[in-house]
Amino acid sequence: MPEVVDVDVVVIGTGFAGIYALHKLRDGLGLNVQSFEEAQGVGGTWFWNTYPGARSDTEVNAYCYLSDKELFKEWKWSERYPRQKEILAYLNHCADRWDLRRSIQFDTGVDKTIFNEGTGRWEITTSKGNRFTAQFLVEGVGLLSSTNYPDFPGTNSFKGEIYHTARWPQSEVDVSGKRVGVIGTGSSGTQVITEMAKTAGELYVFQRTPQYCVPANHGPLDPDKMSLIFSDFDGYRDSVLSSVTSFGFEESPVPAMSVSAEERERVFEDSWNKGNGFRFMFASFSDIGVDPDANKAATDFLKKKLAETVKDPETLKKLTPTDLWAKRPLCNDGYFETFNQDNVTLVDVKEDPIIELTEKGIRTENSEYELDVIVLATGFDAVSGMYLKIDQTGRGGVTLQQKWADRPHATYGMMAAGFPNMFMIYGPMGPFTNQPPVHEWQVDWIADVIQHVRENGYQSVEPTKVVEEKWMEDCDEIAYATLFMKVNSWINGSNVVGKPVTNYFYMGGMGAYGELVGGVRNEGYPGFEFDPALN
Ligand code: NA7
């Protein structure tokens, strides 16, 4: 291998975003593309999240690529919400179908990227010490990928098994008859708790904040539904991309308080039976995430359902949220029911905080829990975490870490001023939506910009600071009018100690985002600067 390898594009990551980016840029645009993946296989989050119970809680008709009609037809999903193994098999199928593996270096992360202003190219150093240069850098590193390991004193002293849900061993972890402690009750925690409660000898759930949870109403996939979608595939894809959430269901235009209390109850009951957290939040009424009264009506209903499910009054009290419903909505069949089982104990760590991990287990202020296995379901340094793990330097020697010290931000969620020809798929201030179809949309947009640069003989493109600031202001105006900024969660950075607590998203919906950002492309990229080719 030469000392430095020159390519047109370097793509980082091979999850949903990186796989499609490699395919689009290499096979669609005919560019010389090199991809890097730190795991041993493709899949991104679905490579790592192999914990028991891991599955998508987005319905599968929207949790797949929608740009390739033949692929949609040929791949047969089995369940309404696909399990991790099935999603990973799908992504492997895509990698094979598009013959991508020859362009990917596995087991190889990217440690460092530097923009060389003299050559107008990115210089990339991998975790194996190999060096590449590329005109374009495309980062599909994952919105929810950089793991959040809480800094509990004594973590290394625990003598049993300890795992983070998002870095689960590739071999099976059997907890039959064992004493298990799970810290965290988000999407990952509720899934792993529900699954492990079936076999664990004793299961202790360490809960910091109680969560609202809607049934998933999981089951086999209705083949008629997929056939119906296929019969008007383009119309379906348009409907997904023109909706607010891109979850593939019909969203409600009706404000919750515009109907009678009886009608609200009827709609909530219907949504409850249909299942799915996002569907409940966005398809029952239009304003649950925005209007405190609508939100309260929804949470009153959810609390009533919770009270009908959990038998022990003390446990019920601990499980009942007091916040608004404005974390990322959860859905899970049987989660609350597990707390009726004799082998499951709920520990409220706000009331009885975790002091340390010991040789034997977890010590809280009031007790010590002896455990064989500890599961950290403590989530992610979301949105910006993975970008900041790479040592990235743009113009004038300014690093991404410096640029984002106050708050991570990117123009249209994809580009950063001072970082020419560097593209982020689902970077900060991108749309708050279901991801796979939106990844495709962004990659298509990125491919169009790259083509524009090359066809016009430019060397590079980057947003101006003015357009970047304006985008940030617009995003903030929308986000601070929602309730998602009022409750602690990864959505606003408040789940990670020391991280800027701020807005990380465009919350105006995918439809509006597509019109706005698609419009920028159609108008010849106002707000972007194109540098001429260097000789
Ligand atoms: P989440 O949704 O961020 O959940 C993490 C959970 O871990 C949540 O219940 C946290 O409580 C809890 N947590 C985090 N740190 C601690 C400490 N130090 N002590 C106790 N409890 C803690 O992550 P997930 O992996 O479940 O899901 C993330 C997304 O991935 C999900 O929304 C989907 O989009 C896919 P908190 O609520 O912060 O009090």
Side-chain angles (χ1 to χ4, degrees), residues 9 11-13 15-26 28-29 65 67 98 138-140 237 241 412-414 423-426 435-451 510 513 517 521 525:
V9 188
V11 174
I12 311 177
F16 266 103
I19 285 178
Y20 182 65
L22 170 55
H23 172 51
K24 175 85 189 186
L25 298 173
R26 191 193 68 181
L29 264 57
Y65 294 123
S67 58
W98 296 326
V138 178
E139 306 194 357
R237 181 168 188 255
L241 290 172
Y412 308 135
M414 292 188 282
F423 299 92
M424 294 169 254
I425 308 168
Y426 232 88
Q435 295 188 51
V438 176
H439 286 162
E440 287 175 297
W441 191 97
Q442 287 194 331
V443 169
D444 288 347
W445 190 93
I446 290 166
D448 286 344
V449 183
I450 288 177
Q451 203 165 18
M510 182 56 204
Y513 175 86
V517 184
R521 169 184 46 207
Y525 306 103

Side-chain angles (χ1 to χ4, degrees), residues 365-380:
E365 212 163 81
N366 299 330
S367 303
E368 179 158 7
Y369 298 87
E370 292 194 8
L371 302 167
D372 302 305
V373 182
I374 294 177
V375 176
L376 300 170
T378 46
F380 301 91

Side-chain angles (χ1 to χ4, degrees), residues 49 51 57 143-144 148 150-152 164-166 183-190 206-211 278 327-330 349-350 354 377-380 435 488-490 494-495:
N49 282 262
Y51 61 84
D57 67 1
L143 179 87
L144 294 151
N148 175 35
D151 192 13
F152 295 120
H164 193 292
T165 44
I183 305 176
T185 54
S187 299
S188 310
T190 54
F206 295 85
Q207 171 195 273
R208 188 164 67 181
T209 313
Q211 293 258 28
F278 268 92
K327 287 178 185 278
R328 190 259 195 212
L330 306 184
V349 301
K350 272 201 179 134
I354 296 174
T378 46
F380 301 91
Q435 295 188 51
N488 288 349
S489 80
W490 61 260
S494 54
N495 65 324

